[in-house]
Amino acid sequence: NGMKQQESGVEPEPGALVPFLRTQPSLHDPKYPEKLPENTLVLPLSRMNMRVIYTVSEYDPLLDSSNMNAKDWAKIASDIQKNYGNYDGFVVLHGTDTMAYTSSALSFICKDHQKSIVLTGSQVPIYEPKNDARDNLLGALLIASQFQIPEVTLYFNHKLFRGNRVTKVDATNYAAFDSPNYPPLLNAAKDFKVDWDLVWDSTAAESFDINTDHIPIVRLLKFFPGFDANMVRAVLSVPAESVRAVSAELVTEDPAELMTDGLAELMTEDPAEPATHVLELLKEVKGAVVESFGAGNSPNDPKILQEFKQAVDRGVLIMNCTQCLKGTVTMDYNTGQLLEEQGLIPGRDMTPEAAIGKLFYVLGKKDLTPEARREMLKRSIRGEMTIDRKIFQEQQ
């Protein structure tokens, strides 16, 4: 957490982190004899007679994590790929509010890597006298440098979690994250001991690759008492038809011409008009995550079910995840079976953050058929869900 108190509140401060880290004995050894490149620091010599040399790369602008989106996930993945051959591991410093979304998304975007990619941050800014930032950063640096863990992980409060299994559970305390349905890969109470039996079994060679070809539109719905069909329609309906009709009336008598030169004419006719947003409006929702009740249950209102069915028939991929922190989506109840009958895909014990990240990844793969996308969403591709119910129960 590189935030500082400003007049408008706590905000990121550009250029402040590296100079501050140089003043921290646990994070930089000023007596290191060799000349270091710009923005490069070195940890003190360890008891194993080893050092960690690390370079800090700062984004411009620095973002509060609440302002991040899928384009930022793609940027982080791309930068890791560009520097993959230059470093032994990678640490991503990130705000806690959306860190679980980013760690989940990166776990899917980044494939076939053998080097550790660790996200971390803090609840209290590192500039404060008492904070959790120093321990979290030091731990993440040591893990990324000492272990080749072929996963995107999140390190916080002495625990290393699988990146697509974690969720934020506390807004203020140091134990901000938990992995309700999968054990931590590492508990660093004293020494760093990785439970390798829990690490994702990757047999990939050194051929790290990313997929950021296309960023689709994905939505999130959450059931609550009183949820109705209008809410499904408002989130999943296709605005393109109404936009086409209105725009066609403005520029041409033939609506079919709108998608050719008609739309371009509308976009340039009057710069003061809000028509510059038409292209964005024409983008259709491609995926959605539903946070359902309990073990995947839905209201049995026929109108709600009809809206879901119509969306699925239009090609929208919808994943059904439970609102509960622990547990899995099952088909034990009739109200759970109803959603699957409409074409919703059971998310099993995936977190909503992981489901959103997976949808972005799968929908972004242009070479897949609709059926291939559905099949990919149903299976575990990065250890994000437990397929076998017996195995899930044993983990509890």
Side-chain angles (χ1 to χ4, degrees):
N1 189 325
M3 300 283 206
K4 277 195 171 184
Q5 184 67 46
Q6 313 289 348
E7 289 185 6
S8 57
V10 178
E11 294 180 352
E13 181 170 319
L17 182 60
V18 172
F20 181 81
L21 292 177
R22 293 190 189 280
T23 70
Q24 303 299 299
S26 63
L27 294 169
H28 178 63
D29 183 1
K31 296 180 181 179
Y32 184 68
E34 298 182 23
K35 182 176 176 58
L36 296 170
E38 186 180 9
N39 293 331
T40 299
L41 301 95
V42 57
L43 295 185
L45 194 66
S46 72
R47 62 185 179 184
M48 298 174 64
N49 204 35
M50 294 176 60
R51 288 189 185 272
V52 176
I53 298 174
Y54 63 102
T55 300
V56 179
S57 178
E58 185 173 289
Y59 284 108
D60 182 17
L62 284 177
L63 295 176
D64 185 300
S65 72
S66 298
N67 294 320
M68 293 185 67
N69 58 40
K71 292 181 180 178
D72 298 304
W73 303 337
K75 172 65 174 170
I76 294 170
S78 178
D79 287 341
I80 292 174
Q81 184 186 43
K82 289 175 185 176
N83 292 280
Y84 190 74
N86 301 327
Y87 298 94
D88 297 318
F90 298 87
V91 173
V92 179
L93 299 183
H94 199 291
T96 60
D97 284 349
T98 64
M99 195 191 303
Y101 289 92
T102 300
S103 65
S104 292
L106 290 178
S107 76
F108 298 109
I109 297 172
C110 301
K111 57 175 294 190
D112 299 340
H113 64 93
Q114 294 295 309
K115 297 178 181 181
S116 296
I117 301 173
V118 186
L119 279 78
T120 195
S122 66
Q123 293 285 66
V124 179
I126 195 169
Y127 309 110
E128 296 294 325
K130 186 177 187 300
N131 66 75
D132 57 330
R134 279 186 288 270
D135 278 351
N136 287 345
L137 175 55
L138 180 59
L141 287 169
L142 292 173
I143 291 168
S145 61
Q146 292 182 23
F147 303 106
Q148 287 191 329
I149 300 175
E151 295 195 31
V152 173
T153 58
L154 190 154
Y155 180 77
F156 217 91
N157 196 40
H158 309 296
K159 292 182 179 180
L160 184 72
F161 303 103
R162 176 169 292 166
N164 55 38
R165 287 288 196 157
V166 73
T167 190
K168 188 173 182 181
V169 296
D170 199 306
T172 55
N173 291 320
Y174 286 176
F177 292 91
D178 196 10
S179 177
N181 292 317
Y182 200 77
L185 307 181
L186 175 152
N187 278 287
K190 182 180 179 183
D191 296 320
F192 290 156
K193 293 184 179 179
V194 178
D195 189 338
W196 292 105
D197 290 337
L198 296 174
V199 174
W200 180 246
D201 184 17
S202 173
T203 56
E206 290 283 324
S207 57
F208 174 55
D209 192 19
I210 62 172
N211 182 79
T212 57
D213 294 340
H214 171 62
I215 298 177
I217 295 179
V218 174
R219 297 286 186 252
L220 175 67
L221 299 94
K222 185 171 184 174
F223 287 160
F224 59 90
F227 185 92
D228 61 36
N230 291 327
M231 298 171 188
V232 183
R233 189 180 309 115
V235 175
L236 299 184
S237 62
V238 184
E241 296 300 328
S242 57
V243 174
R244 288 191 186 101
V246 173
S247 302
E249 191 174 333
L250 290 173
V251 297
T252 177
E253 293 182 0
D254 183 3
E257 295 178 11
L258 174 64
M259 298 311 295
T260 56
D261 53 343
L263 181 57
E265 187 177 333
L266 173 63
M267 296 285 287
T268 58
E269 190 173 54
D270 184 358
E273 292 291 325
T276 52
H277 299 295
V278 169
L279 282 176
E280 287 300 314
L281 291 172
L282 287 172
K283 292 181 180 178
E284 298 179 0
V285 176
K286 296 297 183 183
V289 175
V290 173
E291 291 190 43
S292 56
F293 298 127
N297 302 317
S298 163
N300 59 6
D301 181 347
K303 293 181 180 179
I304 292 177
L305 300 175
Q306 182 182 25
E307 289 294 336
F308 280 130
K309 180 66 165 60
Q310 290 175 351
V312 171
D313 290 345
R314 290 195 302 269
V316 182
L317 293 173
I318 308 176
M319 299 207 70
N320 176 16
C321 295
T322 174
Q323 296 178 13
C324 302
L325 273 178
K326 298 186 75 171
T328 187
V329 169
T330 70
M331 297 299 108
D332 292 345
Y333 295 88
N334 173 259
T335 47
Q337 295 175 15
L338 290 173
L339 289 179
E340 188 170 26
E341 290 170 2
Q342 312 315 309
L344 275 68
I345 301 166
R348 302 184 184 273
D349 60 340
M350 263 199 299
T351 63
E353 295 96 327
I356 288 172
K358 189 173 183 179
L359 275 169
F360 271 109
Y361 172 69
V362 171
L363 288 167
K365 295 177 73 67
K366 295 181 179 179
D367 56 330
L368 293 181
T369 64
E371 188 54 39
R373 289 194 177 105
R374 289 187 64 86
E375 289 304 312
M376 183 173 282
L377 289 170
K378 290 179 181 179
R379 57 187 173 88
S380 179
I381 60 174
R382 301 283 193 277
E384 72 279 4
M385 69 165 88
T386 307
I387 298 299
D388 190 294
R389 192 171 178 183
K390 181 180 179 182
I391 294 175
F392 174 83
Q393 291 171 340
E394 288 174 352
Q395 289 174 356
Q396 303 306 303

